[in-house]
Amino acid sequence: MAEGRAVVRSARPLPTRRARYRYALVVGILLVLAAASAFGLLAWENPMPVGSDGFWRIAKLRAENVTVIAVVAVCQAVATVTFQTVTNNRIITPSIMGFESLYTAVQTSSVYFLGVAGVVALQGVPQFLLQVVLMVGFSLLLYGWLLSGRYGNIQIMLLIGIIIGAGLGSVSTFMQRLLTPSEFDVLSARLFGSIANADASYLPYAIPIMAVATALIWWNGRRLNLIALGREAATSLGLNHRAEVMRMLLLVSLLMAVSTALVGPMTFLGFLVATLAYQFADTYDHRHIFPVAALTGFVILAGSYFVMKNIFYAQGVVSIIIELVGGSVFLFVILRKGRL
């Protein structure tokens, strides 16, 4: 009787040599695309010779936008992957909790009560930090109220988040209808997700918040792997499921607050990035998914910014492409799965 080949079983994130090679290849390709995208943004239509002092002076001015793109890409990618794991749903995104509606309400209220001067009043580091604190505080109240009770659960929290977001959106729409045409034009420019909305003075505060929150989530990647198994399985393995969920949601709130306060709402960016990252990484381990998601987000955002700025001359309004492509992918996923 011929001796059969032994089947090697492994619980490692990348169990076979082929899987490890594929993952390394995907990361390598994304790194090359990200580097090419960054260099393209720095060098495209730069009138000075590459490598000259004048070239680097101009590139330094453009580097602020590249840094903003990197911060937003990491925030959106890590926050969405984490949120989908905690909620055990790969369709929804953190924007469902009303972050963007709150941002819209704050911006609309400033113009409604203060006029065009309200937009100027909402610029600067104190106002940026105030918006972050408001968004995170709103989330903490929601999580603490809905997840700490005896009957608290994720589904009720999501439904309440949708209702509050819709309510804030309705109030914002009502105030927008009462604005003058000039005030509405100024406000509309702030409500689009745009790299041009970002102020370089925000970065010294946004980058540390993003770095700390991302590092904490990555460090707890193995706990996220357990959360992905479900409440019963995670609890049976010794994990305090509710405490870990609330901790992760707090970090997600920080990332989403920084991204939204920095550039404005980008509803489908996180969904698009997370969906592609799951396909590219092809593993359950979040420590391997996060780098792929962040690099994918940077490539998508930098590519969209390049197209809008240099082809359509839209001053960095990237949300148009993101919403179009992300919305199409969302519909495709829904129609393919046949359910939420």
Side-chain angles (χ1 to χ4, degrees):
M1 182 175 177
E3 193 174 314
R5 176 180 292 182
V7 178
V8 179
R9 297 181 180 274
S10 173
R12 297 171 60 184
L14 302 171
T16 65
R17 179 179 298 178
R18 180 178 180 181
R20 292 190 290 272
Y21 173 78
R22 180 185 180 279
Y23 180 82
L25 180 63
V26 167
V27 172
I29 292 174
L30 289 174
L31 282 172
V32 171
L33 291 176
S37 301
F39 182 78
L41 292 175
L42 297 177
W44 185 264
E45 294 186 350
N46 190 325
M48 305 302 293
V50 176
S52 65
D53 291 340
F55 173 87
W56 290 115
R57 288 194 188 97
I58 296 175
K60 186 177 180 180
L61 297 175
R62 299 180 177 183
E64 294 177 352
N65 288 335
V66 177
T67 304
V68 170
I69 290 173
V71 171
V72 173
V74 172
C75 288
Q76 291 277 347
V78 175
T80 303
V81 172
T82 304
F83 189 79
Q84 291 182 347
T85 297
V86 168
T87 58
N88 195 26
N89 191 317
R90 290 192 176 183
I91 296 297
I92 61 178
T93 64
S95 60
I96 199 174
M97 298 307 300
F99 290 103
E100 296 172 358
S101 298
L102 182 60
Y103 173 86
T104 301
V106 170
Q107 296 290 332
T108 304
S109 299
S110 66
V111 177
Y112 180 78
F113 291 109
L114 303 177
V116 176
V119 176
V120 179
L122 275 181
Q123 293 180 352
V125 173
Q127 288 73 21
F128 169 76
L129 295 177
L130 176 62
Q131 290 185 73
V132 172
V133 170
L134 285 175
M135 293 179 191
V136 175
F138 169 77
S139 302
L140 286 177
L141 289 174
L142 193 61
Y143 302 153
W145 172 40
L146 296 176
L147 293 181
S148 61
R150 180 180 177 183
Y151 301 103
N153 58 66
I154 293 290
Q155 287 72 27
I156 293 178
M157 183 194 72
L158 296 177
L159 290 174
I160 297 296
I162 293 173
I163 294 172
I164 293 176
L168 290 174
S170 298
V171 172
S172 299
T173 301
F174 173 75
M175 289 189 291
Q176 289 170 16
R177 288 183 175 274
L178 300 179
L179 297 177
T180 64
S182 59
E183 291 174 339
F184 183 78
D185 288 341
V186 173
L187 175 63
S188 297
R190 300 290 300 176
L191 298 183
F192 277 104
S194 173
I195 304 301
N197 286 344
D199 190 330
S201 63
Y202 301 166
L203 293 177
Y205 301 89
I207 292 175
I209 296 174
M210 177 270 296
V212 171
T214 301
L216 289 174
I217 290 177
W218 186 87
W219 182 260
N220 290 280
R222 291 190 176 93
R223 297 189 178 188
L224 279 174
N225 296 340
L226 295 180
I227 293 175
L229 298 176
R231 178 190 295 270
E232 291 77 11
T235 303
S236 66
L237 292 172
L239 187 72
N240 188 337
H241 186 270
R242 176 176 293 176
E244 291 299 329
V245 165
M246 293 187 66
R247 187 178 296 115
M248 291 300 164
L249 288 176
L250 172 61
L251 296 175
V252 168
S253 301
L254 281 171
L255 293 174
M256 288 302 298
V258 168
S259 173
T260 306
L262 192 62
V263 300
M266 291 188 179
T267 304
F268 285 108
L269 176 60
F271 171 80
L272 177 61
V273 168
T275 300
L276 294 176
Y278 295 135
Q279 300 298 320
F280 293 159
D282 194 23
T283 178
Y284 67 86
D285 188 11
H286 287 77
R287 290 191 173 189
H288 289 80
I289 296 174
F290 287 141
V292 174
L295 288 171
T296 303
F298 183 85
V299 171
I300 291 174
L301 199 54
S304 301
Y305 177 73
F306 182 88
V307 170
M308 295 304 298
K309 181 180 179 181
N310 297 298
I311 297 180
F312 296 102
Y313 304 99
Q315 299 300 320
V317 182
V318 298
S319 61
I320 297 175
I321 293 181
I322 298 298
E323 302 298 327
L324 177 62
V325 178
S328 301
V329 172
F330 180 83
L331 291 176
F332 173 78
V333 172
I334 290 293
L335 293 175
R336 187 182 67 174
K337 294 181 66 175
R339 62 183 176 86
L340 290 174

